[in-house]
Amino acid sequence: MTPSTTRRALLGALASSLAPCTVAADDDDPIIVPVVFGDATIEVIFAPGFSDALRQDAQAWVRRAMSAVGAYFGRFPLPRVELQLHCVEGAGVRGGTTFGEPEPWIRVRLGSATPAAQLRDDWVLVHEMIHLAVPRVPRAQNWLHEGIATYVEGVARGRAGLITPGYVWRKWQAAMPQGQPQAGDRGLDHTPTWGRTYWGGALFCLLADVRLLQRSGLRVGLRQALQGVLAAGGSYAVAWDAPRILEVADAAVAQHTLVELYDAMKARPQPVDLAALWRELGVAGERLLDDAPASAVRRAILS
């Protein structure tokens, strides 16, 4: 977006988001602050209603998220992005959305009373920034976009030291069953439920990461495959379908793992024996077992 387009879009959207916040009469203009990481800049557009202290905390939050995402992909996905922060009452990050047109940009609703500690624990902004690194896909393949963002969010924050490996694996052990096919499932491309879209996609990514690392002797995994997509020009600024994304990702690591997995899961239910997978990786509730058969794979995912 151009600055003028951004300002019009922001002011138009503020009608619904401003009502919950108490705003002083002289605080009716958005404040724009650039946040830089490497060669990338995010223009953070603060809607009215935020205190000076929260704006400072939010800038640090944006830098942390940019750093985690940039480290995972080797660079931040796009050179310039606009992030609109809309004010709501209370505390917490209340959800975000990434848009592709007219240029990629992100909108997040942020509570006016959010403490710095809550921003340090946030996952939403990292999730939305990961979307920037993957091409837009047809609606039926949205599970790939949301699955990558759901899975990589944990990996990126874990690699950055924002959360512990134990936390990541406990979360996945609890949440991945939501991605299993249920009665009437017709495969990932044809079952657009919440569970299959977010956690079915994340389960696809976990299986892909494990197989890529096993087949390469721990040399390359999903991270290197997705870096290959970004290096080939695949970002949220362009539209590709899932086969093209996965073919490019496979080519980057000289495998056929992702396309094979997609062919197996796209049009028919493929339940995963998660209990066996956790045993193989050494994930046992609160404990991570380093004598498990694939414990080296588990460690490689977050290293």
Side-chain angles (χ1 to χ4, degrees), residues 43-80:
E43 290 190 349
V44 184
I45 304 175
F46 292 94
F50 294 110
S51 67
D52 290 342
L54 182 51
R55 284 195 292 266
Q56 291 297 320
D57 290 342
Q59 290 173 58
W61 166 56
V62 172
R63 289 190 191 94
R64 283 193 299 270
M66 292 180 76
S67 179
V69 172
Y72 183 89
F73 288 100
R75 63 178 174 87
F76 195 73
L78 293 170
R80 184 169 294 273

Side-chain angles (χ1 to χ4, degrees), residues 18-269:
L18 275 181
C21 282
T22 301
V23 184
D26 59 352
D27 186 19
D28 58 357
D29 287 328
I31 295 175
I32 302 175
V33 179
V35 177
V36 177
F37 173 78
D39 295 330
T41 299
I42 286 190
E43 290 190 349
V44 184
I45 304 175
F46 292 94
F50 294 110
S51 67
D52 290 342
L54 182 51
R55 284 195 292 266
Q56 291 297 320
D57 290 342
Q59 290 173 58
W61 166 56
V62 172
R63 289 190 191 94
R64 283 193 299 270
M66 292 180 76
S67 179
V69 172
Y72 183 89
F73 288 100
R75 63 178 174 87
F76 195 73
L78 293 170
R80 184 169 294 273
V81 178
E82 292 177 353
L83 168 62
Q84 297 182 6
L85 295 181
H86 292 251
C87 182
V88 297
E89 276 192 347
V93 181
R94 304 294 183 81
T97 307
T98 301
F99 300 88
E101 295 177 345
E103 295 176 2
W105 60 286
I106 298 171
R107 183 178 65 203
V108 173
R109 294 183 301 132
L110 179 62
S112 60
T114 304
Q118 200 163 0
L119 289 175
R120 284 193 294 271
D121 290 339
D122 170 63
W123 60 268
V124 172
L125 189 56
V126 172
H127 180 106
E128 296 305 326
M129 287 181 177
I130 290 165
H131 281 306
L132 301 173
V134 183
R136 304 189 307 276
V137 295
R139 184 180 297 274
Q141 296 162 357
N142 192 46
W143 64 266
L144 181 61
H145 231 290
E146 294 297 350
I148 289 173
T150 300
Y151 177 78
V152 173
E153 168 262 306
V155 178
R157 291 204 299 144
R159 294 183 75 254
L162 300 176
I163 49 179
T164 66
Y167 178 88
V168 175
W169 288 102
R170 286 194 301 274
K171 176 182 175 181
W172 286 348
Q173 191 173 30
M176 287 290 180
Q178 298 175 91
Q180 293 276 37
Q182 303 299 316
D185 191 279
R186 297 185 297 125
L188 287 169
D189 274 3
H190 307 284
T191 313
T193 62
W194 179 88
R196 289 291 268 163
T197 297
Y198 287 85
W199 288 104
L203 185 53
F204 174 93
C205 290
L206 174 60
L207 293 176
D209 215 354
V210 169
R211 292 183 188 182
L212 287 165
L213 286 163
Q214 287 176 329
R215 292 176 179 181
S216 68
L218 305 183
R219 290 183 297 104
V220 293
L222 185 64
R223 183 165 71 94
Q224 290 77 15
L226 293 176
Q227 287 177 351
V229 173
L230 189 60
S235 73
Y236 208 57
V238 299
W240 295 1
D241 61 13
R244 181 178 178 183
I245 293 171
L246 300 176
E247 287 166 6
V248 171
D250 269 338
V253 293
Q255 292 195 31
H256 299 285
T257 298
L258 289 157
V259 170
E260 289 175 2
L261 196 59
Y262 177 60
D263 287 343
M265 299 179 76
K266 66 181 179 181
R268 57 183 181 274

